[in-house]
């Protein structure tokens, strides 16, 4: 669409036209601000809990479970040294053998969502797909936070549907 | 032929006075657009709508992604 717009403007006499090829999606995935009706509405990235415990693949389940419980969590996210999400541990995984390595206990490759997704769409998606919690990441996979379905549903009350679906 | 630019180049150009134009529908523009962008949907680009742009300053167009 944008290449055609650029061509049209050039035919109309504009001599210095550029095309931001990656577009609005790239801008929003980078967490940069936008203007418009949605700018002030909650999104996955704003509602996700940033204090979710994180762990590495070589941690032991028992240690991570103790840390999570001390922080009043029953979930943790396995990340690499750059905070790239590798796996998710919910109550079931945290209840496994305490000596097991996280790499063996976690649910690898969980579905992740971008911070810009409107919370109404997240709430609907998580309800439909029975997701109790989902990691929210940047476009390069780095953890922003863990979004709980209960938080998403609560925040979505009264939010209108958007024109374009973003999941 | 329009130059292809990335996010960093866009920010540099805008800081130097480039005009940002979103070519998606007006409704999509109303929901979210880049700061300072104006809306000229693709189908509405013509001599009249283009007259709102300064022909002596760079223009950057964008839509959702690379489509």
């Amino acid at each position: 669409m944008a290449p055609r717009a650029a061509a049209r403007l050039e035919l109309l006499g504009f001599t210095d036209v550029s095309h931001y090829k990656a577009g609005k999606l790239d801008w929003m995935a980078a967490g940069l601000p936008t203007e418009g009706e949605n700018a002030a509405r909650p999104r996955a990235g704003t509602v996700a809990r940033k204090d979710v415990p994180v762990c590495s693949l070589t941690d032991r389940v028992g240690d991570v479970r103790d840390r999570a419980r001390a922080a009043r969590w029953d979930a943790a996210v396995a990340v690499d040294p750059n905070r790239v999400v590798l796996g998710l541990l919910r109550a079931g995984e945290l209840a496994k053998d305490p000596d097991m390595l996280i790499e063996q206990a976690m649910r690898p490759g969980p579905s992740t969502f971008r911070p810009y997704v409107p919370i109404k769409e997240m709430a609907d998606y998580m309800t439909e797909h029975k997701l109790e919690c989902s990691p929210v990441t940047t476009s390069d996979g780095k953890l922003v936070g863990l979004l709980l379905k209960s938080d998403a549903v609560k925040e979505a009350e009264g939010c209108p549907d958007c024109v374009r679906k973003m999941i | 032929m329009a130059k292809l630019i990335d996010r960093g180049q866009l920010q540099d150009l805008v800081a130097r006075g480039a005009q940002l134009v979103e070519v998606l529908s007006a409704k999509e523009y109303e929901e979210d657009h880049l700061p300072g962008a104006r809306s000229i949907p693709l189908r509405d680009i013509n001599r009249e709508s283009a007259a709102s742009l300064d022909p002596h300053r760079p223009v950057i167009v964008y839509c959702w992604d690379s489509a």
Side-chain angles (χ1 to χ4, degrees):
Chain A
M1 183 182 281
R4 287 179 283 156
R8 184 81 179 100
L9 286 170
E10 287 176 324
L11 286 171
L12 289 167
F14 289 84
T15 56
D16 190 351
V17 180
S18 298
H19 171 205
Y20 174 31
K21 189 176 179 185
K24 185 156 65 172
L25 213 52
D26 171 71
W27 183 269
M28 294 168 75
L32 293 168
T34 58
E35 295 174 346
E37 294 168 354
N38 283 348
R41 290 185 185 140
R43 301 179 193 259
T46 52
V47 179
R49 297 192 183 200
K50 316 300 187 297
D51 61 346
V52 61
V54 296
C55 57
S56 70
L57 296 183
T58 53
D59 286 342
R60 295 194 179 276
V61 168
D63 296 334
V64 176
R65 182 180 60 218
D66 292 346
R67 254 191 307 125
R69 282 182 178 166
R72 297 176 177 273
W73 274 91
D74 61 359
V77 181
V79 296
D80 79 356
N82 295 315
R83 282 181 68 85
V84 172
V85 171
L86 302 172
L88 178 64
L89 298 108
R90 299 188 303 189
E93 287 75 43
L94 289 175
K96 290 183 176 176
D97 179 354
D99 290 325
M100 188 181 280
L101 292 177
I102 290 299
E103 185 173 17
Q104 299 164 318
M106 70 181 187
R107 298 161 65 96
S111 297
T112 61
F113 299 87
R114 299 290 87 78
Y116 55 72
V117 180
I119 204 65
K120 172 74 163 60
E121 190 178 351
M122 281 300 315
D124 292 347
Y125 187 92
M126 294 177 84
T127 300
E128 183 182 344
H129 292 84
K130 298 182 171 55
L131 297 174
E132 291 304 315
C133 58
S134 295
V136 175
T137 68
T138 59
S139 52
D140 52 2
K142 292 179 182 172
L143 180 67
V144 172
L146 189 68
L147 180 63
L148 307 186
K149 184 176 76 177
S150 55
D151 288 347
V153 169
K154 185 178 173 187
E155 288 285 340
E157 285 175 13
C159 288
D161 285 324
C162 295
V163 170
R164 182 180 286 258
K165 296 298 179 190
M166 296 191 182
I167 294 177
Chain B
M1 183 102 180
K3 297 182 288 285
L4 296 181
I5 60 169
D6 61 21
R7 194 188 323 132
Q9 291 169 310
L10 178 147
Q11 289 169 310
D12 287 344
L13 281 170
V14 169
R16 289 191 274 125
Q19 306 162 94
L20 265 176
V21 178
E22 179 168 317
V23 300
L24 294 162
S25 72
K27 183 59 189 160
E28 286 175 283
Y29 171 87
E30 286 164 15
E31 285 193 343
D32 277 304
H33 55 266
L34 271 59
R38 69 186 70 192
S39 171
I40 309 181
L42 175 62
R43 291 179 180 176
D44 296 339
I45 297 178
N46 52 39
R47 246 171 241 295
E48 290 69 38
S49 61
S52 66
L53 297 169
D54 180 348
H56 304 296
R57 289 162 53 203
V59 177
I60 304 169
V61 296
Y62 71 90
C63 56
W64 265 107
D65 48 29
S66 56

